[in-house]
Amino acid sequence: DVQLQASGGGLVQAGGSLRLSCVVSGFSLTDYAVGWFRQGQWTEREMISCISTSTGSTYYADSVKGRFTIFSDNARNTLYLDMNSLKSEDTALYYCAVNLFDYGGSCPAPLTAFGSWGQGTQVTVSS
């Protein structure tokens, strides 16, 4: 059974930092691309970052490039997202998900290819 559980969200002031974690089970982080996504109250779900250990590829949306860093600890089956210089527009519900359609696949990949979303973790940035 594939599961991903995100945590680490919270309330932070603009300019602050947070680290999100995503514990995965039912698959190996070395075999499939995984990503971080977010959905604001008035915005559609978007991919903000993706990593593929098998291909060594990463992806960042322009809105987070240079501020966010994605990495994984494969031994701990955990995906991370370090978020720095947070802005009010980063406020959203953050999810992690896996692309099980493409074994050994790279990033980026279409959002529709990702699944097993879990409940997400709320990040709120106060200005």
Side-chain angles (χ1 to χ4, degrees):
D1 188 23
V2 173
Q3 292 186 339
L4 295 90
Q5 183 59 54
S7 63
L11 174 63
V12 62
Q13 289 187 332
S17 300
L18 280 175
R19 172 175 285 183
L20 303 185
S21 300
C22 174
V23 178
V24 311
S25 60
F27 71 97
S28 172
L29 288 170
T30 59
D31 293 337
Y32 297 94
V34 286
W36 285 100
F37 305 77
R38 68 186 181 188
Q39 184 167 13
Q41 186 175 6
W42 310 110
T43 60
E44 295 184 350
R45 189 172 298 184
E46 60 171 338
M47 178 189 294
I48 56 171
S49 188
C50 176
I51 186 169
S52 169
T53 300
S54 56
T55 65
S57 57
T58 57
Y59 163 82
Y60 295 95
D62 289 342
S63 58
V64 305
K65 197 173 295 182
R67 300 188 298 123
F68 291 10
T69 302
I70 189 171
F71 62 101
S72 64
D73 183 336
N74 299 330
R76 295 179 184 269
N77 296 318
T78 305
L79 174 71
Y80 298 95
L81 184 70
D82 275 347
M83 306 188 296
N84 298 307
S85 302
L86 283 162
K87 306 175 182 179
S88 57
E89 50 262 46
D90 294 318
T91 295
L93 189 59
Y94 284 70
Y95 301 87
C96 49
V98 58
N99 178 8
L100 293 175
F101 289 104
D102 189 6
Y103 180 86
S106 62
C107 290
L111 187 149
T112 53
F114 288 83
S116 302
W117 295 97
Q119 294 185 335
T121 186
Q122 178 67 37
V123 172
T124 303
V125 184
S126 62
S127 56

